[in-house]
Amino acid sequence: MSRADQAVQEFLDTEETKLHSLKAFLQIPSVSADPEMKSRVVEAAEFLKSYFEELGMDKVEIFPTGLHPIVFAEKHASIPGAKTLLFYGHYDVQPTDPLGDWVTPPFEPSIRGEHLFARGSSDMKGQIMATIFALESVLKSGELPLNVKFILEGEEEVGSPSLEGFIQTHTDLLKCDMILNPDVGMINKDTPTVVNGLRGLSYFEVRIDGPKVDLHSGIFGGNVANPANVLASIIAQLHNPDGSVAIPGFYDRVRPLTEEDRKMIASNPTTDEEFLEVTGSPMLYGEQGYTMLERHGARPTLDVNGLYSGFIGEGAKTIIPAYAKAKISCRLVPDQEHAEIYELAEKYIRSIVPPTVRVSFIKHSGGPAYLADDAPGLPNLIEAYKATWNNDVVLKREGGSIPVATVMQKELGVKSILSGFGLPDDAIHSPNEHLHLPTWKKGIQAYIRFITSFGA
Ligand code: BES
Ligand code: ZN
């Protein structure tokens, strides 16, 4: 039996125990955005620490930060002079609302059909455990041909405020030859996927203030500006009729797509119909002149993520709201700069706000877009994927954002391999998030083949 097959067999023999451990991890509500869950986020870090200790890692440490801790673990190779692989992951999860839409509670993992339902099952506790279980099976079945390190943060879903500083001050600890970041997913369950591009992000809030309190709309309506009406008008001016973003300068640094880019993007087999199906929307919508796949991963966007004003309870209440708020994010592409995009957006919005109200802004997280198809170790992973799925690997530009890939490239000098076994319909960030277990199990086997491929 080959070294890889021995380790795969070890995994197949212990699958049930491993699924049990994943469920225990998913029971911990590590919602990084919720201050009330702070101690539960720590509990998730401690779960990982104990798991690593039982695995016999050479070093395991929890580093406190200004917000949620970072877990580091390391295992030395059985042979001297081996290469070092760093796995990144985040053990925090998104909030669960709207809670009433969950079929089973978000932190009571439940298997229905081929899926495991729980918050964080796909994004990304399941992905973290896939890397750890792969290492475990390699360790339990023979020699380890690589030094393996893990950096697992608890703040990704709130923009990783502590991570860049930590990486800057721990470059020796994190020194490596390869980085695998499994925080993205596959095109579909039969198509092993490597992501070679991510979009960046600029996130901010706009607040419009009018009267000092909510006013009776009969007495005052018609004589003061309504902040909700004003905000709606501002939002309506953020796009042009052709679907493009109306902020002056927004596209100035956008690198035009080459013929080669367009060909690569078109090699993704996902059809418009399949993409639409996942959304449940009546039809696709987007910037004219681009395909769905180009708009998904390679064109910038602006979207309202949340809107709040006035009376939102049951029934009717006649008021002019005192204020209105919108949360807005832009997905960015090379070579847009997130700080500059924020400045341009603020400047434009200020220029269209009428003098009848006051406007203020809150700037949230940001990060650049990322391009990489030459990360070290990628050919080994592609081989491992091919061997596991018996299918060709497809390259994909992903619409989501993982700013840490850029930070690691800058601070550690290593480009990240972007992978993972989530599927487009896993409902990440949504109610009823789930993980497709057969794909996840194949993924673990692929990571085992990847790790053992360095032995030859
Ligand atoms: N796992 C996602 C990133 C992702 C999303 C990858 C969709 C592939 C497909 C990650 O946890 C995430 O949600 N990132 C945030 C970025 C952040 C700065 C808050 C995102 O993309 O919204
Ligand atoms: Zn996420």
Side-chain angles (χ1 to χ4, degrees), residues 206-213 225-228 230 321-325 353-360:
V206 186
R207 178 177 168 129
I208 301 293
D209 278 276
K212 62 185 175 196
V213 289
N226 178 325
V230 172
Y323 64 89
K325 298 196 285 189
V353 171
T356 48
V357 294
R358 289 172 289 267
V359 64
S360 55

Side-chain angles (χ1 to χ4, degrees), residues 5 45 84 93 111 113 125 182 192 212 219 223 245 249 266 311 318 322 327 334 341 391 450:
D5 289 345
T84 301
V93 299
I111 294 180
K125 285 176 170 171
K212 62 185 175 196
I219 302 174
N223 268 311
V245 176
F311 177 65
T318 45
K327 292 181 193 271
I341 291 297
N391 237 341
F450 171 62

Side-chain angles (χ1 to χ4, degrees), residues 90 94 123 156-157 429:
H90 66 84
Q94 282 277 324
D123 182 14
E156 196 273 347
E157 300 291 8
H429 295 205

Side-chain angles (χ1 to χ4, degrees), residues 90 123 156-157 159 183-184 201 331 398 400-403 428-429:
H90 66 84
D123 182 14
E156 196 273 347
E157 300 291 8
D183 198 16
V184 290
L201 188 69
R331 295 285 171 174
E398 172 57 60
S401 307
I402 306 186
I428 68 171
H429 295 205

Side-chain angles (χ1 to χ4, degrees), residues 145-447:
L146 278 176
N147 302 304
V148 179
K149 295 179 178 178
F150 289 85
I151 177 172
L152 306 172
E153 64 159 322
E155 301 180 344
E156 196 273 347
E157 300 291 8
V158 291
S160 305
S162 312
L163 191 64
E164 183 162 8
F166 180 85
I167 294 172
Q168 279 165 349
T169 50
H170 294 82
T171 48
D172 271 348
L173 185 74
L174 301 170
K175 197 172 171 339
C176 59
D177 304 292
M178 297 172 278
I179 300 172
L180 197 148
N181 183 327
D183 198 16
V184 290
M186 309 207 335
I187 290 169
N188 59 49
K189 67 181 175 47
D190 301 314
T191 310
T193 309
V194 167
V195 166
N196 65 353
L198 294 163
R199 289 196 289 188
L201 188 69
S202 172
Y203 203 119
F204 56 93
E205 279 177 51
V206 186
R207 178 177 168 129
I208 301 293
D209 278 276
K212 62 185 175 196
V213 289
D214 290 355
L215 300 174
H216 189 287
S217 63
I219 302 174
F220 298 102
N223 268 311
V224 291
N226 178 325
N229 297 11
V230 172
L231 184 59
S233 149
I234 291 169
I235 290 170
Q237 295 173 67
L238 295 177
H239 286 93
N240 297 310
D242 66 359
S244 63
V245 176
I247 297 170
F250 187 81
Y251 292 96
D252 284 2
R253 287 187 202 272
V254 171
R255 209 189 289 177
L257 292 176
T258 62
E259 272 319 300
E260 206 186 328
D261 291 334
R262 298 189 107 152
K263 241 171 89 186
M264 192 285 295
I265 292 167
S267 70
N268 179 336
T270 311
T271 65
D272 286 10
E273 290 69 31
E274 286 166 344
F275 197 82
L276 182 62
E277 162 98 33
V278 175
T279 68
S281 296
M283 77 183 262
L284 292 177
Y285 159 85
E287 188 188 3
Q288 274 167 31
Y290 296 91
T291 67
M292 174 278 287
L293 288 166
E294 288 165 355
R295 295 193 300 240
H296 166 68
R299 291 295 299 170
T301 58
L302 181 148
D303 277 294
V304 175
N305 301 127
L307 207 48
Y308 182 91
S309 188
F311 177 65
I312 55 168
E314 290 294 322
K317 184 176 182 226
T318 45
I319 53 156
I320 309 277
Y323 64 89
K325 298 196 285 189
K327 292 181 193 271
I328 296 177
S329 69
C330 299
R331 295 285 171 174
L332 310 178
V333 301
D335 299 301
Q336 286 176 301
E337 288 171 11
H338 66 94
E340 182 182 59
I341 291 297
Y342 170 76
E343 300 294 330
L344 291 172
E346 178 177 341
K347 191 170 155 208
Y348 174 60
I349 292 171
R350 283 193 189 280
S351 79
I352 57 176
V353 171
T356 48
V357 294
R358 289 172 289 267
V359 64
S360 55
F361 292 82
I362 300 175
K363 186 178 172 188
H364 288 289
S365 57
Y370 182 73
L371 286 183
D373 42 24
D374 55 352
L378 189 56
N380 298 56
L381 187 71
I382 289 177
E383 280 313 308
Y385 278 2
K386 276 190 195 159
T388 307
W389 271 273
N390 290 314
N391 237 341
D392 280 339
V393 171
V394 171
L395 293 175
K396 171 184 183 193
R397 280 182 70 167
E398 172 57 60
S401 307
I402 306 186
V404 65
T406 308
V407 173
M408 288 192 168
Q409 185 177 349
K410 200 167 88 204
E411 302 299 332
L412 306 175
V414 182
K415 287 190 182 176
S416 296
I417 303 174
L418 303 163
S419 76
F421 311 115
L423 296 174
D425 63 355
D426 282 354
I428 68 171
H429 295 205
S430 298
N432 302 306
E433 176 178 352
H434 53 276
L435 179 69
H436 187 240
L437 290 170
T439 301
W440 179 72
K441 289 175 186 176
K442 270 192 178 173
I444 294 172
Q445 297 176 35
Y447 284 156

Side-chain angles (χ1 to χ4, degrees), residues 25 44-62 70-75 87 91 128-129 131-133 135-136 139 148-152:
F25 190 28
E46 280 163 354
F47 173 95
L48 290 166
K49 181 170 185 265
S50 315
Y51 202 92
F52 281 131
E53 282 167 352
E54 272 168 42
L55 248 183
M57 301 294 282
D58 295 308
K59 180 182 167 97
V60 186
E61 196 168 336
I62 293 186
I70 290 172
V71 181
F72 176 84
E74 175 171 20
K75 180 77 188 168
F87 284 114
Y91 64 84
I128 292 183
M129 293 318 284
T131 61
I132 299 177
F133 292 154
L135 173 67
E136 181 173 2
L139 284 175
V148 179
K149 295 179 178 178
F150 289 85
I151 177 172
L152 306 172

